[in-house]
Amino acid sequence: MKNCCYIICGGPESCSTVKLPDNAYIICADSGYDKALTAGIKPDLIIGDFDSVKGNLPDDIDVIRAPAHKDDTDTLLAVRTALEKGFDEIILAGACGGRTDHTLANIATLLFIREHGAKAYAVGDETDVYILCNESMRLKADTSRYLSVFAISEEAVVSITDCAYPLDRYLMKRSFPIGVSNEFTEGNEAIITCESGLVAVLTVKK
């Protein structure tokens, strides 16, 4: 059974280095289908208003057409579909980079996924984003990337260990970006703990 859903997003960031597990259900959001074609990925479903897709839509893959004038982004439509299908882990591929408003919209979409009971993160060649709420995560050291942690609730209690700049149960405030541009240390797994509140954890290519 396919237990996670990858949504390939439109936008300029490639997801050519993203490794999709064999058991993943794959949805392309609009021009995310162009990315899938380039990467040799065959999706299970394509959804969107198709105002930006360049390739011809296939006959052998399910397609859901949405109106151009709508409240949801194409990515959010794909997320709603994934939630309706019962996936409890939803990953946005190639969701960052390019227009800042689109990146913020996709981070808001990650919050939407968490609010609806599923795990949520975004992966890409340049940027990965994870949303934590009352939990810990480990990240393998990658010295080619920065590690940044931001409160996205008004406050969050955060610990960061095995990094260049550790924090111990620090009361992080949304209006003070103390967690920007941390560094992995060679050979260590970084451990990020959100004891309360909500945080966004980003790894960004240097």
Side-chain angles (χ1 to χ4, degrees):
M1 180 179 176
K2 297 181 177 182
N3 54 16
C4 65
C5 179
Y6 277 75
I7 296 172
I8 301 178
C9 304
E13 186 185 22
S14 168
C15 54
S16 60
T17 64
V18 175
K19 295 181 180 179
L20 278 64
D22 293 336
N23 65 345
Y25 187 88
I26 301 168
I27 301 175
C28 288
D30 203 272
S31 59
Y33 180 60
D34 295 324
K35 288 185 185 179
L37 281 178
T38 300
I41 298 168
K42 184 176 180 180
D44 297 282
L45 176 66
I46 307 169
I47 188 168
D49 55 26
F50 307 117
D51 61 345
S52 57
V53 68
K54 295 178 181 177
N56 294 322
L57 295 176
D59 296 325
D60 60 343
I61 297 173
D62 289 337
V63 174
I64 297 176
R65 294 181 179 272
H69 298 287
K70 58 189 185 303
D71 292 333
D72 290 351
T73 64
D74 292 322
T75 299
L76 186 54
L77 285 174
V79 164
R80 289 187 188 275
T81 301
L83 290 168
E84 289 169 3
K85 290 180 177 294
F87 292 105
D88 57 10
E89 185 174 8
I90 300 172
I91 302 98
L92 308 184
C96 301
R99 284 176 51 176
T100 304
D101 55 344
H102 283 179
T103 296
L104 289 173
N106 286 332
I107 292 174
T109 300
L110 293 177
L111 291 172
F112 179 90
I113 296 168
R114 286 306 305 258
E115 287 176 355
H116 286 76
K119 293 182 180 179
Y121 49 98
V123 294
D125 294 341
E126 302 286 334
T127 306
D128 293 349
V129 185
Y130 307 86
I131 304 296
L132 299 186
C133 177
N134 301 322
E135 60 192 314
S136 295
M137 72 176 300
R138 293 174 176 266
L139 287 174
K140 191 174 181 180
D142 183 352
T143 55
S144 71
R145 288 188 174 217
Y146 293 109
L147 170 67
S148 294
V149 181
F150 302 106
I152 47 179
S153 53
E154 187 172 348
E155 295 180 340
V157 177
V158 179
S159 296
I160 302 172
T161 58
D162 291 325
C163 286
Y165 306 102
L167 292 174
D168 182 17
R169 302 190 73 246
Y170 179 81
L171 183 61
M172 185 176 285
K173 296 188 177 183
R174 185 168 54 198
S175 58
F176 182 49
I178 191 172
V180 71
S181 298
N182 207 331
E183 301 268 2
F184 289 100
T185 53
E186 192 74 46
N188 288 322
E189 277 190 326
I191 304 172
I192 303 98
T193 300
C194 175
E195 190 173 314
S196 66
L198 276 167
V199 298
V201 178
L202 289 79
T203 66
V204 183
K205 192 172 180 180
K206 294 180 179 177

